[in-house]
Amino acid sequence: NAPLAGDLRAVAMMAMLFLVFLAIARLVIPWHTVIPYLLPIAAYALIVSSLIGAKPALVTMLPLAILSTYQVPYAIELTIYYVISGYIGVLILGGGRRITSFFWTGLVVALSGAAVVLAYRLPQPETDMTGLLTLTGAAFIYGAATAGLTLLLQFFLAQLLGMTTALQLMELSRPDHPLLQLLLRTAPGTYQHSLQVANLAEHASTGKLWFEQ
């Protein structure tokens, strides 16, 4: 992850993402009933978390949700919907070291969104089952859209920032990578030594990140 205070490009990218997500939300949310539950606002938090860090994502997700739902009739429900799903998504995604982790995160985001809808709507006597099922189904589409948009934008934004993501590193470390296969055939001792050094570096960096968080 990029050190936020010392990387102006990371700060600019986060500000740009914030404004883009906010602008789209303000255009869509006030005029629709179901579409706001499909809008993958939580993707903002997951992208920032995977590229910059979890703390900036968690801190800025709350004002994004509040500003996105400002002065709409169901602002409290939608704010909770976005914040809870975004926070849980960040915690589940972690470093995003596998593509499958994004899909599991999308599922958890969907379940948390559906839980918010059920918890908020079920106690209300005027809630109809058709509307409740529609919003619950929208929450699952919301989770899938969040995971897909996060993967897509993470790839392109990492290129703009000149960053190497965890997914790219995992791709390079595959045993069937051509460079590693060449090294294994021509210099097996160097290959084994490189693996040991890589494992030590991974453990050291993981411990450092855990300590900082």
Side-chain angles (χ1 to χ4, degrees), residues 10 13 18 20-21 30 32 47 58 63-64 74 106 118 129 140 148-149 155 160 163 166 174 176 179 188 202 209:
M13 185 273 292
F18 188 96
V20 168
F21 273 85
H32 299 90
I47 294 166
L58 295 174
L64 175 61
Y74 38 97
L118 293 173
M129 290 306 298
F140 283 90
L149 187 61
F155 175 78
L160 292 176
M163 296 174 57
R174 289 188 300 110
D176 59 343
L179 181 59
E202 180 183 7
L209 288 174

Side-chain angles (χ1 to χ4, degrees), residues 21-35:
F21 273 85
L22 178 59
I24 294 174
R26 294 306 301 173
L27 287 173
V28 171
I29 291 176
W31 312 110
H32 299 90
T33 303
V34 178
I35 291 180

Side-chain angles (χ1 to χ4, degrees), residues 12 16 30 49 87 91 112 127 136 151 154 168 180 190 196 206:
M16 178 195 69
S49 176
Y87 279 16
L91 297 176
S112 61
T127 299
T136 304
L151 267 174
Q154 184 207 50
Q168 291 171 319
L180 291 181
T190 302
Q196 293 172 359
T206 302

Side-chain angles (χ1 to χ4, degrees), residues 9-184:
R9 289 183 302 172
V11 174
M13 185 273 292
M14 188 171 71
M16 178 195 69
L17 272 179
F18 188 96
L19 293 176
V20 168
F21 273 85
L22 178 59
I24 294 174
R26 294 306 301 173
L27 287 173
V28 171
I29 291 176
W31 312 110
H32 299 90
T33 303
V34 178
I35 291 180
Y37 293 87
L38 300 171
L39 191 65
I41 294 290
Y44 163 82
L46 299 185
I47 294 166
V48 172
S49 176
S50 61
L51 292 179
I52 299 175
K55 291 179 181 178
L58 295 174
V59 169
T60 56
M61 183 63 203
L62 180 59
L64 175 61
I66 293 174
L67 293 173
S68 297
T69 60
Y70 181 66
Q71 286 188 336
V72 299
Y74 38 97
I76 296 178
E77 178 187 356
L78 268 181
T79 299
I80 296 173
Y81 180 83
Y82 292 143
V83 171
I84 294 296
S85 61
Y87 279 16
I88 292 178
V90 168
L91 297 176
I92 294 297
L93 181 62
R97 296 178 179 274
R98 298 282 193 280
I99 291 181
T100 53
S101 65
F102 286 85
F103 292 106
W104 282 115
T105 301
L107 178 60
V108 174
V109 166
L111 291 173
S112 61
V116 170
V117 169
L118 293 173
Y120 193 87
R121 297 274 177 159
L122 278 178
Q124 299 179 10
E126 67 273 15
T127 299
D128 64 286
M129 290 306 298
T130 301
L132 185 63
L133 291 175
T134 300
L135 294 182
T136 304
F140 283 90
I141 300 176
Y142 165 75
T146 296
L149 187 61
T150 300
L151 267 174
L152 182 64
L153 290 183
Q154 184 207 50
F155 175 78
F156 288 109
L157 291 174
Q159 305 300 317
L160 292 176
L161 292 174
M163 296 174 57
T164 302
T165 65
L167 285 178
Q168 291 171 319
L169 291 175
M170 294 304 296
E171 176 69 19
L172 292 174
S173 66
R174 289 188 300 110
D176 59 343
H177 192 280
L179 181 59
L180 291 181
Q181 287 294 310
L182 176 64
L183 186 63
L184 177 60

